[in-house]
Amino acid sequence: MEEMIRIPTVLYRGGTSKAVFLKENDLPKDAARRDRIICAIFGSPDKRQIDGLGGADLLTSKLAIIGPSSRPDADIDYTFGQVSIDSPTIYYGAVCGNVSAAVGPYAIDEGFVRATEPLTAVRIHCTNNKRIIEAKVPVEGNRVKVGGDFAIDGVPGTGARIELNWSDMVGANTGKLLPTGNAKDILDVEGIGSVTVSIIDVGNPGVFVNAADMGLAGTESPDVIDADAELLKKSDAIARAAMAKINNLALLTYVAPSTEYKNYVTGETISAGRSDFLVRMIFLGKTHKTFAASMINCCGTAAMIPGTVVNEAAVPGLVNRSSVRMGHPSGIAELEGIEIVKNGSDIDVRKILVYRTARRLMEGYSFVRSDALE
């Protein structure tokens, strides 16, 4: 056997994340062998991931496995994996909305979908939860268009705007927009006591907590939150209590009324008027430096539902609009097109649009030692 194995690889930025894209057919069918290869590509476990392509950060240690669609109503299969930095494990239990922004461009440029100017529609089957994301990708000259004037906070410069419709992601994990049937619930959390939360399922289930209930202003930087070991411990306990409540994943986000704060990346002062409320997300024991696109959709939808913790933190009259602006550590995330129809106690979410940019960064081969298969 050759000492090194080479695997076709593409590195993409999608939204505010970066991911290694691999084709399903280039990986072993056996899941354990596949994951050993992938961890070797990333350089995990190692906190610097120095011997691989991982960026030693949760936002850059991400994986997309792409294959032909396994269902007739989609164009491509997309499996997302969060590759652990300090352990030889990959978490497949969630969907990454930012990385999904790069799946459409990848599908077009790799020939899975025929390019059609000026916009090419790509129906992405997320195998993690068996739901569809509809992407509309700008195309020019039969290639994915990269340049444009659309900007998202947390990414320098501008790019072509990619539209993602997440309406099929409502109730993707629990079967319900409101998994408990309630806009708010009170959880009995070990080490804390009673905590009021809202649990919403769009793409990934989110558990939303008023920041003030945990002694936060909602303006704190990731460094400040991550330095508070006791707060992170309590945050984990709340997320676990929510998971037990719905028997599923629950990603924690603290919400607070909009006020002025400093951009974590640029130091710029962000005025209260630029957002409808503030968000600080805890993911895998760390504070998200921006805001996960899956949570932009989930939290933005929660803001439109009267009685939720998110709606109560938001500016008055938000439910009468079609867009939601969320202030995260590195700027503002906007859910720009949301359409909800309320019929008594029933809530019908007909459209959830979020816009991202994406760019192909590198293509070639990853090289891993053959003993990674052992």
Side-chain angles (χ1 to χ4, degrees):
M1 180 184 289
E2 294 289 335
E3 186 180 11
M4 299 283 278
I5 301 168
R6 68 178 194 171
I7 300 169
T9 302
V10 178
L11 191 64
Y12 258 96
R13 176 190 61 77
T16 58
S17 293
K18 190 158 55 178
V20 170
F21 276 63
L22 304 171
K23 288 180 181 175
E24 182 179 64
N25 288 343
D26 292 328
L27 297 168
K29 286 189 179 353
D30 177 76
R33 286 164 62 86
R34 177 200 65 201
D35 286 1
R36 283 197 293 271
I37 285 281
I38 291 168
C39 284
I41 289 172
F42 277 78
S44 294
D46 172 39
K47 67 180 180 180
R48 293 191 301 155
Q49 292 180 318
I50 194 65
D51 200 34
L53 297 180
D57 187 283
L58 290 175
L59 298 185
T60 57
S61 193
K62 298 191 172 190
L63 163 74
I65 300 175
I66 306 298
S69 178
S70 57
R71 50 190 281 184
D73 59 345
D75 299 306
I76 196 167
D77 275 4
Y78 155 53
T79 300
F80 169 71
Q82 182 73 51
V83 180
S84 176
I85 295 171
D86 54 10
S87 71
T89 56
I90 303 171
Y91 181 66
Y92 294 105
V95 171
C96 180
N98 276 302
V99 172
S100 72
V103 175
Y106 179 90
I108 296 167
D109 281 345
E110 292 293 320
F112 286 93
V113 176
R114 183 181 294 276
T116 303
E117 297 186 36
L119 289 175
T120 299
V122 182
R123 298 165 299 173
I124 302 165
H125 171 217
C126 298
T127 67
N128 305 77
N129 59 18
K130 297 179 174 56
R131 295 296 181 99
I132 300 284
I133 296 172
E134 295 179 354
K136 291 183 179 178
V137 182
V139 168
E140 188 173 82
N142 292 323
R143 298 288 294 176
V144 171
K145 181 174 170 57
V146 176
D149 59 5
F150 186 69
I152 55 175
D153 287 348
V155 178
T158 61
R161 191 182 77 166
I162 298 167
E163 177 185 295
L164 301 167
N165 186 349
W166 276 57
S167 59
D168 189 49
M169 287 287 183
V170 174
N173 303 274
T174 64
K176 296 179 180 179
L177 174 63
L178 302 176
T180 68
N182 305 316
K184 278 193 294 195
D185 289 280
I186 298 176
L187 300 179
D188 183 15
V189 182
E190 183 178 358
I192 303 176
S194 297
V195 179
T196 301
V197 305
S198 291
I199 304 175
I200 312 294
D201 182 6
V202 177
N204 295 316
V207 52
F208 302 99
V209 182
N210 189 320
D213 290 351
M214 299 300 293
L216 295 170
T219 58
E220 290 83 359
S221 72
D223 290 344
V224 168
I225 297 175
D226 290 348
D228 191 337
E230 185 61 25
L231 174 62
L232 292 178
K233 182 179 177 181
K234 290 179 178 178
S235 301
D236 182 65
I238 295 170
R240 289 181 181 277
M243 287 190 279
K245 181 82 172 176
I246 64 173
N247 192 32
N248 211 296
L249 168 77
L251 302 179
L252 176 72
T253 297
Y254 292 113
V255 297
S258 183
T259 189
E260 181 181 286
Y261 69 99
K262 294 283 188 180
N263 185 306
Y264 172 72
V265 175
T266 66
E268 168 200 7
T269 297
I270 300 176
S271 66
R274 288 184 57 191
S275 66
D276 297 315
F277 56 92
L278 305 182
V279 293
R280 297 294 184 269
M281 178 183 175
I282 311 295
F283 179 58
L284 295 180
K286 296 286 186 181
T287 307
H288 205 292
K289 294 179 177 64
T290 56
F291 198 32
S294 64
M295 284 297 104
I296 294 174
N297 296 304
C298 187
C299 188
T301 303
M304 293 295 204
I305 302 172
T308 65
V309 170
V310 187
N311 178 261
E312 291 175 350
V315 296
L318 185 64
V319 295
N320 298 317
R321 291 173 17 201
S322 61
S323 63
V324 183
R325 303 168 303 165
M326 294 155 265
H328 59 72
S330 300
I332 308 298
E334 186 166 3
L335 185 61
E336 297 192 42
I338 180 164
E339 184 179 326
I340 294 179
V341 176
K342 303 179 186 70
N343 183 14
S345 59
D346 293 332
I347 302 171
D348 181 15
V349 183
R350 297 183 177 176
K351 184 168 65 175
I352 303 175
L353 298 183
V354 65
Y355 297 100
R356 305 273 89 185
T357 61
R359 188 169 78 84
R360 195 178 186 97
L361 303 176
M362 181 281 294
E363 63 179 29
Y365 295 96
S366 298
F367 287 86
V368 300
R369 291 164 56 112
S370 59
D371 56 16
L373 285 171
E374 298 175 1

